Protein backbone atom coordinates (compact mmCIF):
# COMPACT_ATOMS: atom_id res chain seq x y z
CA UNK A 1 0.00 0.00 0.00
CA UNK A 2 1.16 3.49 -0.73
CA UNK A 3 1.98 6.01 1.97
CA UNK A 4 3.35 9.52 2.17
CA UNK A 5 5.31 11.35 4.85
CA UNK A 6 5.51 15.07 5.38
CA UNK A 7 8.15 15.50 8.05
CA UNK A 8 7.47 19.17 8.77
CA UNK A 9 4.27 19.92 10.65
CA UNK A 10 4.81 23.68 10.74
CA UNK A 11 7.04 25.95 8.69
CA UNK A 12 7.44 29.71 9.02
CA UNK A 13 9.04 31.82 6.30
CA UNK A 14 9.33 35.52 5.67
CA UNK A 15 7.47 37.03 2.77
CA UNK A 16 9.73 37.07 -0.26
CA UNK A 17 11.85 34.17 0.96
CA UNK A 18 12.07 30.88 -0.85
CA UNK A 19 10.11 27.85 0.29
CA UNK A 20 10.61 24.11 0.16
CA UNK A 21 8.12 21.66 1.64
CA UNK A 22 9.26 18.09 1.94
CA UNK A 23 7.38 14.98 0.90
CA UNK A 24 8.53 11.38 0.87
CA UNK A 25 6.46 8.56 -0.49
CA UNK A 26 6.45 4.81 -0.20
CA UNK A 27 5.35 2.74 -3.16
CA UNK A 28 6.79 -0.18 -5.10
CA UNK A 29 6.86 1.61 -8.42
CA UNK A 30 6.44 5.17 -9.59
CA UNK A 31 3.15 6.42 -8.20
CA UNK A 32 1.07 9.38 -9.16
CA UNK A 33 2.08 12.31 -6.96
CA UNK A 34 0.16 15.44 -6.06
CA UNK A 35 0.34 18.58 -3.99
CA UNK A 36 -2.85 20.14 -2.68
CA UNK A 37 -3.37 23.33 -0.69
CA UNK A 38 -6.07 23.98 1.88
CA UNK A 39 -6.87 27.50 2.99
CA UNK A 40 -8.80 28.02 6.24
CA UNK A 41 -12.43 27.04 5.88
CA UNK A 42 -11.90 25.82 2.34
CA UNK A 43 -11.65 22.53 0.55
CA UNK A 44 -8.45 21.30 -1.02
CA UNK A 45 -7.18 22.71 -4.29
CA UNK A 46 -4.75 20.97 -6.61
CA UNK A 47 -1.41 22.80 -7.04
CA UNK A 48 0.33 20.32 -9.31
CA UNK A 49 0.67 16.66 -10.18
CA UNK A 50 3.25 14.24 -11.52
CA UNK A 51 2.44 11.12 -13.49
CA UNK A 52 5.51 10.58 -15.67
CA UNK A 53 7.97 12.40 -17.90
CA UNK A 54 9.81 15.55 -16.90
CA UNK A 55 10.62 15.27 -13.23
CA UNK A 56 10.20 19.01 -12.63
CA UNK A 57 6.55 19.98 -12.78
CA UNK A 58 5.07 23.43 -12.73
CA UNK A 59 1.85 24.22 -10.97
CA UNK A 60 -0.44 27.08 -10.22
CA UNK A 61 0.42 30.11 -8.10
CA UNK A 62 4.12 29.89 -8.98
CA UNK A 63 4.73 26.52 -7.31
CA UNK A 64 6.87 23.75 -8.71
CA UNK A 65 7.84 20.29 -7.50
CA UNK A 66 10.60 17.89 -8.37
CA UNK A 67 10.23 14.13 -8.45
CA UNK A 68 13.37 12.31 -7.32
CA UNK A 69 13.02 8.57 -7.67
CA UNK A 70 16.31 7.81 -5.90
CA UNK A 71 15.12 9.68 -2.82
CA UNK A 72 11.42 8.75 -3.08
CA UNK A 73 10.70 12.43 -2.75
CA UNK A 74 8.43 15.00 -4.32
CA UNK A 75 9.30 18.31 -2.67
CA UNK A 76 7.31 21.45 -3.32
CA UNK A 77 9.13 24.72 -3.95
CA UNK A 78 8.40 28.37 -4.54
CA UNK A 79 11.13 30.95 -5.14
CA UNK A 80 9.38 33.85 -3.43
CA UNK A 81 6.55 33.36 -0.95
CA UNK A 82 3.63 35.77 -0.72
CA UNK A 83 1.57 36.36 2.43
CA UNK A 84 -1.42 34.81 0.65
CA UNK A 85 0.44 31.49 0.47
CA UNK A 86 -0.18 30.90 4.17
CA UNK A 87 -2.20 27.70 4.25
CA UNK A 88 -1.87 23.99 4.85
CA UNK A 89 -0.17 21.95 2.16
CA UNK A 90 -0.78 18.27 1.55
CA UNK A 91 1.27 15.86 -0.46
CA UNK A 92 -0.66 12.89 -1.83
CA UNK A 93 0.09 9.65 -3.63
CA UNK A 94 -2.00 7.29 -5.72
CA UNK A 95 -1.29 3.99 -7.39
CA UNK A 96 -1.42 4.32 -11.19
CA UNK A 97 -4.68 2.47 -11.75
CA UNK A 98 -6.52 3.85 -14.70
CA UNK A 99 -9.94 5.11 -15.51
CA UNK A 100 -12.95 4.06 -13.52
CA UNK A 101 -11.06 1.57 -11.48
CA UNK A 102 -11.11 1.80 -7.75
CA UNK A 103 -8.42 4.08 -6.56
CA UNK A 104 -7.76 6.68 -3.94
CA UNK A 105 -5.47 9.50 -2.97
CA UNK A 106 -3.50 8.86 0.19
CA UNK A 107 -2.62 12.13 1.87
CA UNK A 108 0.23 13.07 4.13
CA UNK A 109 -0.41 14.74 7.44
CA UNK A 110 0.10 18.19 5.99
CA UNK A 111 2.48 21.08 6.55
CA UNK A 112 1.10 24.30 7.95
CA UNK A 113 2.82 27.28 6.35
CA UNK A 114 2.97 30.59 8.14
CA UNK A 115 4.26 33.66 6.32
CA UNK A 116 5.76 36.50 8.31
CA UNK A 117 5.43 39.98 6.86
CA UNK B 1 -15.60 27.65 -6.39
CA UNK B 2 -14.72 24.02 -7.20
CA UNK B 3 -18.18 23.18 -8.50
CA UNK B 4 -18.67 20.52 -5.82
CA UNK B 5 -21.51 21.31 -3.44
CA UNK B 6 -21.80 19.84 0.02
CA UNK B 7 -24.69 20.23 2.43
CA UNK B 8 -25.05 20.97 5.23
CA UNK B 9 -21.96 23.07 5.94
CA UNK B 10 -22.32 22.66 9.67
CA UNK B 11 -24.16 20.09 11.71
CA UNK B 12 -24.40 19.65 15.46
CA UNK B 13 -26.02 16.54 16.84
CA UNK B 14 -25.96 14.22 19.83
CA UNK B 15 -24.35 10.85 20.39
CA UNK B 16 -26.39 7.96 19.10
CA UNK B 17 -28.05 9.99 16.38
CA UNK B 18 -27.92 9.53 12.62
CA UNK B 19 -27.07 12.16 10.00
CA UNK B 20 -26.87 12.32 6.22
CA UNK B 21 -24.34 14.39 4.36
CA UNK B 22 -25.01 15.24 0.75
CA UNK B 23 -22.65 15.90 -2.13
CA UNK B 24 -23.33 17.14 -5.64
CA UNK B 25 -20.31 16.58 -7.86
CA UNK B 26 -19.16 18.83 -10.67
CA UNK B 27 -21.21 18.53 -13.79
CA UNK B 28 -19.90 15.61 -15.83
CA UNK B 29 -17.79 14.05 -13.07
CA UNK B 30 -18.53 10.37 -12.59
CA UNK B 31 -16.33 9.64 -9.57
CA UNK B 32 -17.17 10.75 -6.06
CA UNK B 33 -14.86 10.35 -3.09
CA UNK B 34 -15.54 10.85 0.60
CA UNK B 35 -12.82 11.85 3.03
CA UNK B 36 -12.83 12.47 6.76
CA UNK B 37 -10.52 15.12 8.19
CA UNK B 38 -9.82 15.24 11.90
CA UNK B 39 -6.99 16.62 14.00
CA UNK B 40 -5.80 13.22 15.18
CA UNK B 41 -6.31 11.17 12.00
CA UNK B 42 -5.66 13.74 9.29
CA UNK B 43 -7.30 13.19 5.91
CA UNK B 44 -8.66 9.66 5.74
CA UNK B 45 -10.16 8.14 2.62
CA UNK B 46 -13.55 6.62 3.29
CA UNK B 47 -15.05 5.44 0.02
CA UNK B 48 -15.21 6.02 -3.74
CA UNK B 49 -18.10 5.64 -6.15
CA UNK B 50 -17.88 5.63 -9.90
CA UNK B 51 -21.06 6.05 -11.93
CA UNK B 52 -23.21 4.63 -9.17
CA UNK B 53 -21.01 1.72 -8.18
CA UNK B 54 -18.71 1.40 -5.21
CA UNK B 55 -15.14 1.16 -6.48
CA UNK B 56 -12.80 1.57 -3.52
CA UNK B 57 -13.18 1.39 0.20
CA UNK B 58 -10.94 2.84 2.85
CA UNK B 59 -11.20 3.26 6.58
CA UNK B 60 -14.97 3.50 6.65
CA UNK B 61 -16.68 2.30 9.80
CA UNK B 62 -19.55 -0.18 9.60
CA UNK B 63 -21.78 2.50 11.15
CA UNK B 64 -21.16 4.60 8.03
CA UNK B 65 -22.59 3.94 4.61
CA UNK B 66 -22.70 5.78 1.33
CA UNK B 67 -24.33 5.61 -2.04
CA UNK B 68 -24.26 7.38 -5.36
CA UNK B 69 -27.57 7.97 -7.08
CA UNK B 70 -28.42 7.87 -10.81
CA UNK B 71 -28.09 11.65 -11.01
CA UNK B 72 -24.55 11.15 -9.61
CA UNK B 73 -25.08 12.95 -6.34
CA UNK B 74 -23.87 11.06 -3.31
CA UNK B 75 -24.88 10.73 0.30
CA UNK B 76 -22.84 9.67 3.29
CA UNK B 77 -24.89 8.27 6.15
CA UNK B 78 -23.41 8.26 9.63
CA UNK B 79 -25.31 6.39 12.34
CA UNK B 80 -24.96 5.64 16.06
CA UNK B 81 -22.76 8.70 16.23
CA UNK B 82 -19.95 8.88 18.75
CA UNK B 83 -17.96 11.85 19.99
CA UNK B 84 -15.01 10.67 17.91
CA UNK B 85 -17.00 11.05 14.71
CA UNK B 86 -16.75 14.81 15.04
CA UNK B 87 -14.77 15.87 11.99
CA UNK B 88 -14.84 17.66 8.67
CA UNK B 89 -16.21 15.43 5.94
CA UNK B 90 -15.13 16.24 2.41
CA UNK B 91 -16.56 15.13 -0.84
CA UNK B 92 -14.47 15.28 -3.99
CA UNK B 93 -15.27 14.50 -7.58
CA UNK B 94 -13.31 13.78 -10.72
CA UNK B 95 -14.03 12.90 -14.31
CA UNK B 96 -12.54 9.43 -14.07
CA UNK B 97 -10.58 8.48 -11.02
CA UNK B 98 -7.44 9.95 -9.56
CA UNK B 99 -5.62 10.30 -12.88
CA UNK B 100 -7.38 13.57 -13.21
CA UNK B 101 -7.79 16.33 -10.71
CA UNK B 102 -9.97 15.80 -7.68
CA UNK B 103 -12.19 18.79 -7.01
CA UNK B 104 -13.08 19.15 -3.36
CA UNK B 105 -16.16 20.65 -1.81
CA UNK B 106 -15.87 22.94 1.19
CA UNK B 107 -16.80 20.15 3.55
CA UNK B 108 -19.47 19.42 6.11
CA UNK B 109 -18.38 20.03 9.68
CA UNK B 110 -19.99 17.54 12.03
CA UNK B 111 -19.96 18.11 15.75
CA UNK B 112 -21.23 15.33 17.98
CA UNK B 113 -22.04 16.38 21.54
Amino acid sequence: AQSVTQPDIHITVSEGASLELRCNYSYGATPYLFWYVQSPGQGLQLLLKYFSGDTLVQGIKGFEAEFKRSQSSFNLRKPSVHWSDAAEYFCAVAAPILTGGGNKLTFGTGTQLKVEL
Amino acid sequence: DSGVTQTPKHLITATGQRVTLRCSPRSGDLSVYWYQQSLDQGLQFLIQYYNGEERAKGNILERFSAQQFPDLHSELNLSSLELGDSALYFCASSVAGVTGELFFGEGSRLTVL
Side-chain angles (χ1 to χ4, degrees), chain B residues 4-54:
Chain B
V4 178
T5 304
Q6 288 187 249
T7 58
K9 291 191 187 307
H10 300 276
L11 190 56
I12 301 174
T13 189
T15 54
Q17 295 298 303
R18 170 189 170 96
V19 298
T20 297
L21 309 180
R22 181 186 170 98
C23 170
S24 294
R26 289 192 326 151
S27 176
D29 285 359
L30 299 178
S31 273
V32 169
Y33 299 78
W34 286 98
Y35 280 84
Q36 179 194 58
Q37 186 178 39
S38 61
L39 285 177
D40 54 342
Q41 297 288 325
L43 267 165
Q44 295 288 316
F45 169 71
L46 296 178
I47 198 163
Q48 178 210 0
Y49 281 84
Y50 177 78
N51 203 20
E53 295 184 5
E54 180 185 308

Side-chain angles (χ1 to χ4, degrees), chain A:
Chain A
Q2 65 265 34
S3 66
V4 61
T5 301
Q6 294 181 249
D8 303 306
I9 299 174
H10 298 279
I11 282 186
T12 301
V13 299
S14 299
E15 190 176 35
S18 64
L19 171 70
E20 182 168 29
L21 302 182
R22 296 184 291 165
C23 171
N24 292 96
Y25 68 89
S26 175
Y27 185 68
T30 300
Y32 294 158
L33 295 161
F34 308 79
W35 275 99
Y36 279 81
V37 61
Q38 183 180 23
S39 298
Q42 302 293 315
L44 283 76
Q45 181 185 21
L46 179 68
L47 287 176
L48 48 77
K49 59 188 178 184
Y50 173 79
F51 291 166
S52 63
D54 192 346
T55 57
L56 185 63
V57 293
Q58 302 296 321
I60 62 171
K61 305 184 181 187
F63 286 93
E64 66 177 27
E66 186 171 12
F67 169 63
K68 292 186 177 180
R69 187 192 312 274
S70 62
Q71 299 177 19
S72 297
S73 69
F74 188 57
N75 294 348
L76 182 71
R77 300 194 295 247
K78 187 170 185 178
S80 178
V81 169
H82 187 262
W83 64 267
S84 61
D85 293 325
E88 190 156 21
Y89 292 79
F90 293 91
C91 183
V93 62
I97 299 173
L98 298 180
T99 311
N103 205 343
K104 63 177 182 177
L105 283 182
T106 299
F107 287 90
T109 50
T111 297
Q112 186 71 47
L113 173 65
K114 180 180 176 182
V115 180
E116 291 182 332
L117 300 177

